[in-house]
Amino acid sequence: MTSTLSRPAPVGRLVDQFEKGLDAPICLTWELTYACNLSCVHCLSSSGRRNPDELSTEQCKAVIDELQRMQVFYVNIGGGEPTVRSDFWELVDYATDHQVGVKFSTNGVKIDQKVAERLAASDYVDVQISIDGATAEVNDEVRGKGSFDMATRALQHLKDAGFKDAKISVVVTRHNVSQLDEFKALADKYGATLRITRLRPSGRGADVWDDLHPTQEQQRELYDWLVANGEGILTGDSFFHLSAFGEASGGGALPGLNLCGAGRVVCLIDPLGDVYACPFAIHEEFLAGNVLRDGGFKQVWQTSDLFLELREPQSAGACASCDFFDSCRGGCMAAKFFTGLPMDGPDPECVQGYGEQLLADRDNGVLPKSSVDQSRTGNRRKALPSIPLTVLVTQPPSRACDENPLAGMR
Ligand code: SF4
Ligand code: SF4
C-alpha cells in the first residue's frame, strides 16, 4: 500500500487511480546485483557477472531510508541472485528495521538450515524460490544442471525450519505448461504457495522466447487451468491478456492486476540504481532516471518525464476495435516492445491471433535488445535443445501485487 491510501478516499475505481499512478509504487522490484551462480536461459535481466558499479551498502541503505519515507511498505528483491551479495542479510535487516518488508527471489543457493531458521524467525521477510519445471529434467533444461535439487533442498530447509508460506515461482513455458498440477502438488508438499508468471521476451528471454513461449493452444489450456484452479495461485499482472478468452463484456477476467502498471504502480531499481518502468523493460526507452544522479528515487518516481507520460491515458491503437479490449487492454508493453511490435497494437500472444499475424510480418533483424547484458561469456544461449512437449512494519508485508492489488484496500 502507498501513501495515497491514507489520503481521503478517491472517487471512482481504484484501478482508475492506478492508471494515473500513485505517490509510491505498489510493486517495486529492486535487483540488488547482476551476479548469479546460474545462467538461466530466459533470465529477464541477462544476469551472470557482477557489475563493479553496483550500489554500495551505504547507497542501498540510503535507498531504503527513502523507501521508508515514501511509505513503501515492502519491496521485491531480486537479481541476479541477491543472496550472493556479501551484505545481503545486512540489507534485509536494515530494511525490516526501517519498516520496509522484504520479499526476495532466490534460486535457493544460500538457503541452508541455519538461514532457513533465521528466516522463519522473521515476520517481515518472505521467500520466493524459482523453479521452472516440476521435474529436474524440465527445470534443469532452463535453469541449469542441479538447479532443481538446489531449489527443492532450500524448500525442504524452509519447511523443516517452520517457515510459513514460502512461494514457488514458475515461469510458464511451452515445456512446463502441462505440469501445472504437478507444480501445485510440489507447492503443497512444501507448505508453499504457487506463483506462476508469464515468460516475457526480456533480457536473455528474448533469445529463447520463440522456442519457449506457450503456443496458442497451451495459452487456452493455461487460461482454463487458472479458471478451474486459480484460487490461491498468485499471478500478479502476468496473464491479463488471457482474459480475452472469456466473455467480451470482461466476464472472463482472471484475478490479478488487469492492466499494465509500468511506471504507474510498478517499477524496477536495477543494481546500478537505474530506475526502469518495469522489471521486464530494461531498455533506454523505459529508463526514467537514476537514484544517485537524479535526486533520489522519490524524485524519479514522482517527476520523471517518462513516468508522467505513462500515467497519461494511453491509446488503444489497433486494439480499440477489439471487443475484448476492456479485459485484455492490449496486453504487455514489454512483450510488444521486445518482439518488435507496435506499442499501441496487440500483444504478441493476443488470444485472437492478431499478434501472431504481426509477428509473421515483422523484421526480425531490427528487434530492440535489452540495454544490459551481464551474461557470463559463452553462457548466452541462442536456442534450446528440443525436449518433448508433453510496511509500517506493524504487520507482515503486503503482497498485494502478487495476487490482486485491490486486496486489503479500503
Ligand atoms: S510491461 Fe508487461 S510486465 Fe511490465 S508492468 Fe506492463 S504488463 Fe506488466
Ligand atoms: S486485439 Fe488487442 S485487445 Fe483484442 S485480444 Fe488481441 S491484444 Fe487483446
Side-chain angles (χ1 to χ4, degrees):
M1 283 189 242
T2 76
S3 56
T4 295
L5 298 173
S6 60
R7 294 185 303 197
V11 178
R13 298 180 307 162
L14 268 169
V15 72
D16 297 329
Q17 294 296 312
F18 290 172
E19 290 204 300
K20 293 175 192 154
L22 299 177
D23 288 350
I26 296 176
C27 301
L28 170 58
T29 299
W30 185 3
E31 291 176 353
L32 280 182
T33 181
Y34 283 119
C36 189
N37 51 311
L38 299 183
S39 304
C40 304
V41 298
H42 58 357
C43 178
L44 76 151
S45 55
S46 304
S47 287
R49 290 170 292 121
R50 179 180 172 273
N51 185 312
D53 294 329
E54 291 176 4
L55 298 183
S56 67
T57 306
E58 290 316 307
Q59 288 167 333
C60 287
K61 287 182 177 177
V63 171
I64 293 167
D65 291 342
E66 203 175 6
L67 299 181
Q68 180 186 24
R69 288 194 296 275
M70 291 175 75
Q71 294 184 284
V72 174
F73 289 159
Y74 93 103
V75 61
N76 300 295
I77 288 184
E81 170 54 46
T83 63
V84 302
R85 262 189 82 127
S86 57
D87 58 0
F88 177 72
W89 302 109
E90 180 182 348
L91 292 173
V92 168
D93 287 345
Y94 190 84
T96 55
D97 287 348
H98 288 76
Q99 290 78 53
V100 180
V102 168
K103 177 171 71 183
F104 71 91
S105 297
T106 175
N107 54 43
V109 63
K110 298 280 185 184
I111 313 291
D112 58 18
Q113 196 56 45
K114 202 165 149 216
V115 167
E117 283 164 13
R118 175 197 167 125
L119 289 167
S122 171
D123 283 339
Y124 305 115
V125 182
D126 199 3
V127 187
Q128 182 167 287
I129 309 280
S130 300
I131 292 184
D132 292 328
T135 55
E137 183 198 10
V138 174
N139 175 83
D140 291 5
E141 198 61 47
V142 169
R143 303 187 60 81
K145 195 166 165 38
S147 58
F148 183 81
D149 289 347
M150 185 166 71
T152 49
R153 204 179 305 127
L155 284 162
Q156 188 64 52
H157 287 317
L158 289 167
K159 184 180 182 197
D160 292 346
F163 187 92
K164 297 275 184 299
D165 198 24
K167 309 293 178 291
I168 292 180
S169 184
V170 174
V171 177
V172 178
T173 68
R174 199 170 292 189
H175 301 303
N176 69 22
V177 71
S178 61
Q179 297 185 315
L180 290 167
D181 288 331
E182 291 168 70
F183 282 120
K184 179 68 174 70
L186 198 65
D188 290 345
K189 175 179 171 187
Y190 293 109
T193 295
L194 178 61
R195 175 175 188 262
I196 61 173
T197 64
R198 179 179 179 186
L199 173 70
R200 278 94 167 185
S202 311
R204 286 197 293 269
D207 299 340
V208 294
W209 188 81
D210 285 343
D211 295 329
L212 283 189
H213 81 100
T215 63
Q216 190 83 347
E217 296 72 36
Q218 289 177 324
Q219 290 193 65
R220 176 79 219 196
E221 203 181 305
L222 171 59
Y223 175 80
D224 290 341
W225 190 86
L226 282 168
V227 169
N229 306 286
E231 200 172 329
I233 308 291
L234 307 177
T235 55
D237 71 352
S238 280
F239 300 116
F240 66 91
H241 66 298
L242 299 184
S243 297
F245 277 127
E247 295 162 24
S249 60
L254 296 165
L257 178 54
N258 283 306
L259 85 164
C260 171
R264 298 155 156 168
V265 296
V266 172
C267 79
L268 166 75
I269 304 175
D270 91 343
L272 314 186
D274 283 336
V275 182
Y276 292 91
C278 158
F280 297 94
I282 302 178
H283 189 278
E284 289 90 353
E285 191 91 13
F286 305 107
L287 177 59
N290 181 281
V291 299
L292 301 180
R293 293 191 295 276
D294 297 311
F297 176 69
K298 182 180 179 185
Q299 180 81 3
V300 173
W301 174 258
Q302 294 188 352
T303 68
S304 75
D305 291 344
L306 173 71
F307 287 175
L308 295 181
E309 191 185 323
L310 286 170
R311 292 164 197 168
E312 291 295 318
Q314 304 289 311
S315 159
C319 290
S321 57
C322 175
D323 288 344
F324 297 91
F325 181 74
D326 279 350
S327 44
C328 160
R329 291 167 172 265
C332 170
M333 176 183 83
K336 289 188 256 199
F337 181 78
F338 286 115
T339 50
L341 300 190
M343 303 284 278
D344 61 351
D347 188 284
E349 291 180 325
C350 162
V351 304
Q352 301 295 317
Y354 297 122
E356 280 189 351
Q357 288 172 25
L358 289 170
L359 290 174
D361 293 341
R362 73 186 163 166
D363 180 353
N364 274 311
V366 293
L367 293 185
K369 284 276 172 208
S370 168
S371 330
V372 171
D373 188 354
Q374 292 293 123
S375 305
R376 283 191 290 277
T377 311
N379 278 347
R380 190 152 183 171
R381 294 166 60 174
K382 284 285 174 203
L384 283 171
S386 72
I387 57 176
L389 274 186
T390 48
V391 274
L392 181 68
V393 187
T394 53
Q395 57 183 34
S398 163
R399 289 140 198 160
C401 76
D402 268 342
E403 187 176 7
N404 183 344
L406 307 184
M409 293 185 178
R410 288 183 291 276

